[in-house]
Amino acid sequence: MSGHTTLAPAGTAAKRKEARTVILSSYLGSTIEFYDFLLYATAAAVAFPKVFFTGMDDWVGVVAAYATFAAGYVARPLGGVIFGHFGDKVGRKGMLIISMAMMGIASTLIGLIPGAGVIGPWGAVILVLLRVCQGIAVGGEWGGAALMALEHADPKRRGFAASFVNAGAPTGAVLGTLVMGAFSALPQDAFLAWGWRVPFLLSFVLLIVGMFVRLRVSESPIFAEAVAKEEAQAGTKRKIPLLEVLRRPKALIMIMFAGAAGFGLQVVLPTFSVTYAVSKGAPQQGVLYAFAGASAISIIFVLLGGRLSDRFGRRPVMIAGLALFIAYLFPMFGMLGSGNVGLVFVAFTVALILHSSLYGPLAAFVSEQFGTTSRYTGAAVGYQLATLIGAGFTPGIIAGLYKDSGQSILPVVVFLSVMALVSIVFIALTRESKNNDLTTVR
């Protein structure tokens, strides 16, 4: 067993301290990973159409840039399978180190890709390949980070503990949007020539910080105990985690559709909504800062959503958030299209607060559906499939709907509302998980 873990200290106080360290590590690691991954979303809205897809109609270039954005979401389930397999076989910690390195290197290289004016369409090809690497990395990152927080936490506070991992997404969005917003203040020619690249190059600095933190945490004690039990059974061969998950495909399907709308609504905000607000007359830098400010406020509400789910259950909190978001869609786009940065800020803030009711409990909701020795694979693959169908193609689809309808917002609202209703149904059909025993090996 020495090859697997360093167990948490035995004393209660020491265990609590270790749990706090692991939760902080998961939060910081998730922040860095999502800084890189969501930075791409902002760049796809404000830079990539003019750098890699020149010579096209403005909205056609936007749709093309969002297609490269989708490549990362297509790759995320593959990352979940790869990292999940080894995370369930070898341990959570090692996979998290590898995923972070992969993400940091890919993001840094994106900042070095020559534009279409230098290497023609090859710039877009390289962009897609590196986006795939980003997708594989974040596909492995989320599952491991969520499980490390979940499996170290007090059973009565699992939703709150795991919500720190999802809080890393808006934190990363804040950092990425602030940095990109600062450089968008440059003259347009300078921004498109080199300004957008700097935020990606800064990924290497964040990689070093993240590695320092991540190397200091211990392995999951629940995972170590489960592996020890399996190996203590004479003649028992370790099972293949993916096959164990696929033997119960219902859990994957339920998670995939239950979580899809949360990711669809989440990704619409830094992509289509930013582009829409700017196209209606709001200044680009002001819109980016408005989104960054709203994301910063939402961090506390993601944690609150996780805490409420510990008290009332995962399902009621998530369903309430989605239902309110549906009702809010028309007012949101009304404010986004006002041309007023203050109203744009209010639109983003309310949207992200409502979204937090779903996003906060989601990490625990997904992870609690699986047994310990297949939990990394099940949670990672289920979560990433949800991101694929919910977020991967949504920006491109709604941009296309908007363009083809003569720039009417109605088909966009209808599409997002239907997506949210589908998720509500699947959340309601999925069993409540807040009282599940995570030590059970299924």
Side-chain angles (χ1 to χ4, degrees):
M1 281 306 299
S2 60
H4 284 293
T5 66
T6 301
L7 288 176
T12 301
K15 285 183 178 180
R16 288 177 179 171
K17 181 180 179 181
E18 176 67 14
R20 289 194 294 269
T21 301
V22 169
I23 291 169
L24 175 62
S25 168
S26 293
Y27 170 66
L28 291 176
S30 179
T31 295
I32 293 168
E33 292 267 349
F34 279 96
Y35 166 87
D36 292 332
F37 195 76
L38 297 177
L39 182 65
Y40 192 106
T42 305
V46 301
F48 291 167
K50 296 173 184 174
V51 175
F52 298 108
F53 302 98
T54 56
M56 299 180 178
D57 173 79
D58 285 348
W59 277 100
V60 173
V62 168
V63 172
Y66 288 166
T68 70
F69 175 78
Y73 284 91
V74 173
R76 282 174 71 159
L78 177 59
V81 171
I82 295 171
F83 284 91
H85 174 82
F86 290 102
D88 283 325
K89 283 285 192 179
V90 179
R92 300 10 178 159
K93 178 180 174 179
M95 296 305 103
L96 288 174
I97 292 170
I98 295 172
S99 69
M100 178 173 284
M102 187 175 183
M103 174 63 86
I105 293 170
S107 299
T108 302
L109 291 176
I110 286 174
L112 299 174
I113 303 174
V118 178
I119 59 173
W122 284 106
V125 172
I126 297 170
L127 185 66
V128 170
L129 292 175
L130 291 174
R131 181 60 174 171
V132 168
C133 291
Q134 280 193 322
I136 292 173
V138 82
E141 162 69 24
W142 180 88
L147 265 56
M148 285 288 277
L150 194 80
E151 293 176 347
H152 276 86
D154 182 319
K156 295 181 179 179
R157 296 172 64 87
R158 293 197 310 243
F160 181 63
S163 70
F164 276 86
V165 178
N166 278 0
T171 309
V174 170
L175 292 177
T177 308
L178 284 176
V179 175
M180 189 66 77
F183 283 94
S184 73
L186 292 167
Q188 185 75 348
D189 289 345
F191 174 70
L192 295 177
W194 61 268
W196 69 269
R197 300 178 182 275
V198 178
F200 286 96
L201 298 177
L202 290 174
S203 297
F204 193 75
V205 177
L206 293 177
L207 172 62
I208 295 172
V209 174
M211 283 295 189
F212 174 78
V213 174
R214 186 145 281 175
L215 287 167
R216 298 169 64 87
V217 302
S218 65
E219 183 58 90
S220 160
I222 289 179
F223 170 77
E225 182 180 353
V227 172
K229 287 180 180 178
E230 280 200 346
E231 293 182 345
Q233 297 174 4
T236 298
K237 183 179 179 181
R238 293 289 309 279
K239 298 173 183 177
I240 298 175
L242 182 60
L243 294 182
E244 287 298 297
V245 171
L246 293 179
R247 282 174 184 156
R248 298 191 310 122
K250 180 181 176 182
L252 279 181
I253 294 170
M254 299 299 280
I255 287 170
M256 182 168 61
F257 288 101
F263 296 111
L265 296 171
Q266 178 190 48
V267 81
V268 161
L269 297 176
T271 55
F272 176 81
S273 296
V274 168
T275 307
Y276 178 77
V278 172
S279 73
K280 293 297 184 179
Q284 177 175 289
Q285 187 180 31
V287 171
L288 291 176
Y289 282 150
F291 179 70
S295 296
I297 293 170
S298 77
I299 294 169
I300 190 66
F301 286 93
V302 172
L303 301 178
L304 178 61
R307 190 71 189 95
L308 288 174
S309 78
D310 285 327
R311 181 177 177 85
F312 299 108
R314 319 297 184 216
R315 296 187 305 168
V317 178
M318 296 167 69
I319 289 173
L322 277 174
L324 290 171
F325 208 117
I326 292 173
Y328 177 64
L329 283 170
F330 270 120
M332 180 183 80
F333 281 112
M335 288 185 282
L336 288 173
S338 67
N340 183 298
V341 172
L343 288 177
V344 170
F345 170 71
V346 173
F348 281 139
T349 300
V350 176
L352 286 171
I353 289 174
L354 294 178
H355 180 264
S356 297
S357 298
L358 171 69
Y359 200 54
L362 191 61
F365 173 79
V366 171
S367 302
E368 289 166 345
Q369 306 298 325
F370 302 95
T372 301
T373 54
S374 62
R375 185 172 294 130
Y376 198 144
T377 300
V381 173
Y383 190 91
Q384 303 312 332
L385 286 173
T387 68
L388 172 59
I389 65 169
F393 302 101
T394 296
I397 290 172
I398 62 174
L401 289 172
Y402 181 71
K403 177 177 72 70
D404 295 341
S405 65
Q407 300 190 358
S408 168
I409 207 65
L410 177 60
V412 173
V413 171
V414 171
F415 179 84
L416 295 175
S417 297
V418 171
M419 181 184 291
L421 285 171
V422 170
S423 284
I424 287 174
V425 170
F426 276 87
I427 291 169
L429 293 175
T430 304
R431 63 190 177 120
E432 180 57 61
S433 60
K434 82 180 184 74
N435 295 320
N436 287 1
D437 182 2
L438 294 190
T439 63
T440 301
V441 181
R442 295 191 299 273

